[in-house]
Amino acid sequence: MTNFSAPAASRDTCPGNAILRIQDGSFSAVDPNGDVHLIGSECGDCGQQMFPSRARCPRCFGENLHEFHFGSLGTVVSFTIIRQAPPGYHGPVPYALGMVELGGGTQVLAHLVDRSPDQWKAGERVESCAMSLGLASDAPPCGQSFAFRPTTRS
């Protein structure tokens, strides 16, 4: 996983006029439907799937890992509503942050979007999508991460 400090954004443009991918390498490019697929690891020894990618398997401690692309569908296991923005967050408040089961026991913590935070329920089916993020309060969205939205797909 790549950690970086984003350059300061001006009021009108993104740094270098490019979208910065937060957690680069952890999700695919956005397809025409707005879907993204999370990219993790799968252990070649025991079959454990994990997100984000790791150097060793947490189940068998093996090093025989390869890249694994998760499907876009998941299920909300639990969620909370964030009512006060953490430092550096420039998006809308309140917002929902949920634990999403991707299948095979792998869970990921992510924003739940495209619905009022108080309308979410545990057990709902969701699909992964791209989410724009602001890097400064007075700048346009310049960052991109993954989130989950309601779905009717099964």
Side-chain angles (χ1 to χ4, degrees), residues 17-104:
N17 291 322
I19 297 295
L20 302 171
R21 288 173 58 89
I22 310 302
Q23 297 176 315
D24 199 27
S26 64
F27 59 99
S28 68
V30 182
D31 72 18
N33 296 324
D35 293 343
V36 298
H37 296 272
L38 301 186
I39 302 171
S41 301
E42 183 174 52
C43 180
D45 296 328
C46 73
Q48 175 73 34
Q49 297 168 354
M50 59 212 84
F51 180 85
S53 295
R54 297 201 171 92
R56 285 188 170 272
C57 176
R59 180 188 289 162
C60 72
F61 305 108
E63 296 180 25
N64 183 19
L65 302 173
H66 59 273
E67 185 173 282
F68 181 80
H69 290 242
F70 288 91
S72 63
L73 300 178
T75 303
V76 176
V77 175
S78 63
F79 70 97
T80 190
I81 299 173
I82 308 299
R83 298 187 187 282
Q84 183 173 349
Y89 176 77
H90 302 289
V93 176
Y95 63 91
L97 194 61
M99 185 63 69
V100 176
E101 166 85 34
L102 300 177

